[in-house]
């Protein structure tokens, strides 16, 4: 019975790991992909806009 108690934790971890991987793969794409892509694009546009604003204000001060 010691071998059962020794193998149980790694087996449980493996099952949970496979479950997590399946959830990750299933949630890639689909209906939410366009919303997620739009959110990332908006965030990148804000950062780029802030960077350009900072660069132009730094040139104006010099």
């Amino acid at each position: 019975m010691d071998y059962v108690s020794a193998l149980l934790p790694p087996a449980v971890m493996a099952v949970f790991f496979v479950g997590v991987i399946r959830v990750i793969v299933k949630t890639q794409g689909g209906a939410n992909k366009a919303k997620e892509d739009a959110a990332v694009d908006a965030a990148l546009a804000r950062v780029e806009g802030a960077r350009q604003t900072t660069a132009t204000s730094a040139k104006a001060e010099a």
Side-chain angles (χ1 to χ4, degrees):
M1 289 306 286
D2 287 339
Y3 63 90
V4 173
S5 62
L7 292 176
L8 188 61
V12 171
M13 291 286 284
V15 168
F16 281 125
F17 182 74
V18 169
V20 167
I21 296 301
R22 288 186 66 201
V23 168
I24 289 171
V25 169
K26 281 186 174 185
T27 57
Q28 297 299 312
N32 290 330
K33 183 169 178 40
K35 285 197 300 187
E36 292 171 359
D37 289 346
V40 170
D41 290 341
L44 290 174
R46 275 188 302 226
V47 169
E48 187 62 30
R51 186 178 299 155
Q52 289 177 354
T53 302
T54 304
T56 55
S57 65
K59 286 180 184 177
E61 291 177 4

